[in-house]
Amino acid sequence: MNIPNSHAMNFRYQIGNHFNFGERGDISYVPIPKCGSTAIRDAIININWMYCSTIKYTRKYDYKTTDGPLAEDEMLFTVIRNPLDRWMSGCLQYIHNNISGEHGKITDMLNRLASGELISDEHTLPMSEFLKEFDTKIKYFILSPSVLPEINSYYNLELKSTLINPSSDPDGVLHPLKEISKSARFQKHFQITYAKDLLMWDSVQKS
């Protein structure tokens, strides 16, 4: 089944969306932005798979269930990464998409981040929000250069490796972001906002 263009271009990161593939349609991937999701999507798009939407995103923080529950034998997996690294990558993506080259706006944003404000878009929304419909039956992989071979080995698949590139930093904000992330004020807000992600990350690392 081909993905409708609107889904492929605009909605592939909807909370709860997952790609379903395998001979019986019994393996699904839940994409999380800034966790290699574009590279993994590009890998699975070349094998027999279909698009499947379980949660419809209607507006910010408002979700509507559109499909029934997952099949009892359906295997679900996702890829996660260190929550702070993902947040910084998400900030770089936000700047690239919205204010790259606008130094006044970048400075203002950095000042707001330093005051404890956190950017909120699909690239920085907590990973746990993308998984809350599925997290009782999901396999976690950690983002790394070997994540596709690890998925292939676990599920006996033949996903073609694609390069997972680190976020670029043409505006030179990565160092300021790292400095901001060390402040007590930022850490307090971050630990509250991303509490579930931090627990999930710790648990997966230990498993």
Side-chain angles (χ1 to χ4, degrees), residues 33-34 67 101 115:
K34 308 313 298 180
D67 294 336
S115 71

Side-chain angles (χ1 to χ4, degrees), residues 73-88:
D73 60 349
E74 188 166 345
M75 294 179 286
L76 217 62
F77 75 90
T78 193
V79 177
I80 65 172
R81 70 189 291 188
N82 179 289
L84 183 58
D85 290 346
R86 177 177 176 267
W87 177 82
M88 284 192 276

Side-chain angles (χ1 to χ4, degrees), residues 13-19 28-33 35 37 54-55 63 70 76-81 86 125-141 196-201 204:
Y13 292 142
Q14 287 177 349
I15 292 173
N17 279 5
H18 58 293
F19 293 108
S28 293
Y29 163 59
V30 182
I32 300 176
C35 292
S37 54
T54 299
I55 301 297
Y63 318 110
L70 298 173
L76 217 62
F77 75 90
T78 193
V79 177
I80 65 172
R81 70 189 291 188
R86 177 177 176 267
L125 192 67
M127 293 182 287
S128 56
E129 288 295 312
F130 292 87
L131 305 174
K132 61 185 181 181
E133 293 295 315
F134 315 119
D135 58 4
T136 58
K137 51 184 302 183
I138 197 161
K139 166 67 178 173
Y140 298 94
F141 294 90
K196 291 182 179 179
D197 282 12
L198 293 166
L199 286 172
M200 176 175 64
W201 175 249
V204 171

Side-chain angles (χ1 to χ4, degrees), residues 36-52:
S37 54
T38 300
I40 296 170
R41 179 208 63 198
D42 289 346
I44 66 175
I45 206 166
N46 293 317
I47 64 176
N48 186 24
W49 64 286
M50 63 181 178
Y51 178 83
C52 193

Side-chain angles (χ1 to χ4, degrees), residues 67-120:
D67 294 336
L70 298 173
E72 193 170 308
D73 60 349
E74 188 166 345
M75 294 179 286
L76 217 62
F77 75 90
T78 193
V79 177
I80 65 172
R81 70 189 291 188
N82 179 289
L84 183 58
D85 290 346
R86 177 177 176 267
W87 177 82
M88 284 192 276
S89 180
C91 288
L92 293 177
Q93 186 76 52
Y94 178 88
I95 290 169
H96 175 76
N97 290 348
N98 297 284
I99 56 176
S100 182
E102 300 184 48
H103 300 297
K105 290 183 178 180
I106 292 172
T107 299
D108 177 65
M109 188 197 80
L110 292 173
N111 288 336
R112 288 187 286 114
L113 292 173
S115 71
E117 184 178 334
L118 297 175
I119 292 173
S120 181

